[in-house]
């Protein structure tokens, strides 16, 4: 029998219900927003700057449209912009994917009969349409409230206080899970406990109002709030629905072997922007197939490597084998089967190196388990060899 991970978590506060935001918290809407605004702004000969998303995250559609008009100096009015892009968004709702950990969290809380509510600045009709594409979501929520059903949207606490009223619970017994600063501010103003899951990368320091900041829903520990713990961690790893990525090995930053003493086989992220946006930064593990050498265990980081402060999100796999030579240009295919931890910063290079070697140990032991070892024969990585 495989022993589950049972690391004790310090209790923060006991809560009785969970209130979730939708866009950016449960659903990966950022990619859709970028696609739609890129097309629209292209008509004006302008290019959507992904960094501008910070100005619209968590806002009502009207507020977000107003911010876009102002940021780009558009000649149209806010109403004209909304009337043109609203159908464009509506056509994309069916393509929005659940963020990693969203289905797991909803199923877990629902299975344990923990009351859940959905509170979003989006109009109620849009909320209903979006969640209709995700099986089991609508019936899991005791209360659903849209931004058009309250006088003031977030950062006003009104929407959260209305949820508490409808659930017939005290606001202080509610846990809010939010991705935006507006949502975090609203939750705190409502007197609720707040966990922030920032949808904008590299900015956790801005979420000082939150009671806890986590990297993704994969890192949520419900037991910290007196809720039933997840039981799916196995030997310090979280099994995932497998995903694939591949391409020729490219030269990286030159620090793997030289600085860390850890030879990583870097993959180009070109063409994988949408895939990378679907998966939170962190440390993962799985199997790697090299076209001329075979299949090997691997552990990899996805993200910005805070210690080195990367400007771009990268994929840096470490193939757990001693190679006699470099293999730049060879086709490398990966199947990612599990998650170890969120990406973190370190006070020293030595502590970073020690953690990476610990990640290797965790990955090597996990990949010997039948649950993970079976993927060594996955057709995707086998076809590369």
């Amino acid at each position: 029998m495989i022993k589950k991970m049972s690391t004790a978590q310090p209790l923060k506060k006991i809560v009785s219900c969970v209130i979730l935001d939708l866009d950016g918290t449960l659903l990966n809407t950022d990619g859709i927003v970028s696609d739609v605004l890129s097309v629209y702004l292209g008509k004006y000969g302008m290019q959507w700057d992904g960094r501008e998303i910070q100005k619209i995250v968590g806002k009502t559609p009207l507020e977000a449209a107003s911010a876009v008009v102002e940021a780009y100096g558009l000649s149209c009015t806010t109403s004209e912009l909304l009337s043109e892009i609203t159908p464009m968004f509506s056509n994309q709702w069916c393509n929005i994917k659940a963020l990693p950990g969203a289905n797991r969290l909803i199923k877990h809380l629902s299975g344990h009969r923990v009351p859940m509510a959905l509170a979003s600045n989006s109009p109620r009709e849009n909320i209903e349409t979006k969640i209709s594409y995700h099986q089991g979501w609508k019936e899991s929520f005791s209360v659903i409230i849209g931004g058009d059903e309250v006088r003031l949207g977030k950062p006003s606490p009104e929407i959260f206080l209305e949820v508490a009223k409808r659930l017939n619970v005290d606001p202080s017994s509610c846990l809010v899970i939010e991705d935006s600063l507006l949502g975090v501010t609203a939750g705190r103003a409502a007197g609720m406990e707040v966990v922030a899951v920032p949808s904008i990368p590299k900015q956790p320091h801005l979420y000082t109002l939150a009671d806890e900041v986590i990297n993704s829903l994969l890192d949520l520990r419900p037991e910290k709030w007196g809720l039933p713990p997840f039981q799916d961690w196995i030997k310090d790893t979280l099994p995932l629905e497998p995903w694939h990525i591949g391409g020729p090995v490219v030269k990286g930053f030159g620090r793997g072997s030289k600085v860390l003493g850890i030879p990583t086989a870097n993959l180009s992220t070109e063409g994988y922007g949408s895939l990378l946006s679907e998966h939170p930064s962190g440390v993962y593990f799985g199997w790697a197939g090299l076209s001329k050498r075979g299949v090997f265990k691997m552990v990899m980081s996805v993200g910005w490597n805070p210690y080195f402060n990367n400007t771009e999100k990268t994929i840096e796999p470490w193939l757990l084998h001693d190679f006699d030579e470099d293999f730049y240009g060879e086709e490398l295919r990966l199947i990612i089967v599990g998650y170890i931890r969120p990406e973190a910063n370190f006070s020293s290079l030595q502590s970073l190196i020690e953690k990476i070697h610990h990640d290797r140990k965790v990955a090597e032991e996990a990949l010997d388990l039948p649950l993970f070892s079976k993927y060594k024969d996955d057709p995707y990585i086998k076809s590369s060899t």
Side-chain angles (χ1 to χ4, degrees), residues 113-287:
R113 300 186 181 279
V114 176
M116 280 186 290
L118 200 53
S120 169
N121 265 352
S122 292
R124 173 66 180 266
E125 184 181 357
N126 289 3
I127 296 171
E128 297 274 4
T129 302
K130 291 173 191 174
I131 65 175
S132 69
Y133 296 104
H134 298 272
Q135 188 174 3
W137 281 27
K138 184 175 181 178
E139 51 267 35
S140 295
F141 295 104
S142 304
V143 173
I144 299 175
I145 302 182
D148 57 340
E149 297 179 278
V150 292
R151 190 172 57 87
L152 295 172
K154 306 167 192 175
S156 165
E158 184 182 348
I159 195 167
F160 289 131
L161 293 173
E162 180 62 25
V163 167
K165 181 181 176 182
R166 295 191 192 182
L167 288 174
N168 195 28
V169 297
D170 189 274
S172 65
S173 68
C174 300
L175 176 66
V176 169
I177 302 178
E178 269 279 0
D179 73 297
S180 72
L181 288 171
L182 295 177
V184 169
T185 302
R188 291 300 294 160
M192 300 177 176
E193 302 299 303
V194 181
V195 171
V197 195
S199 56
I200 300 173
K202 301 180 71 175
Q203 295 191 344
H205 59 283
L206 298 179
Y207 291 75
T208 52
L209 281 177
D211 296 284
E212 183 181 24
V213 181
I214 59 177
N215 187 58
S216 76
L217 292 177
L218 299 178
D219 304 307
L220 183 69
R221 302 291 183 169
E223 62 271 28
K224 286 186 176 183
W225 308 96
L227 299 171
F230 288 113
Q231 298 293 333
D232 49 358
W233 283 85
I234 299 171
K235 287 194 171 183
D236 294 335
T237 68
L238 178 63
L240 298 177
E241 187 70 29
W243 52 283
H244 304 91
I245 193 167
V249 177
V250 299
K251 284 186 179 291
F253 298 100
R255 63 187 178 220
S257 298
K258 296 174 185 175
V259 180
L260 299 172
I262 297 165
T264 54
N266 295 279
L267 281 175
S268 169
T269 56
E270 188 175 349
Y272 286 111
S274 59
L275 179 65
L276 282 180
S277 74
E278 292 174 20
H279 298 284
S281 58
V283 177
Y284 298 81
F285 66 96
W287 296 94

Side-chain angles (χ1 to χ4, degrees), residues 7 23 47 181 215 322 375:
T7 305
D23 300 311
Q47 190 170 1
L181 288 171
N215 187 58
D322 292 328
Y375 293 108

Side-chain angles (χ1 to χ4, degrees), residues 13 34 42 90 100 125 136 164 168-169 212 252 306 327 349:
K13 184 177 178 179
S34 294
S90 298
E125 184 181 357
N168 195 28
V169 297
E212 183 181 24
F327 39 85
L349 182 63

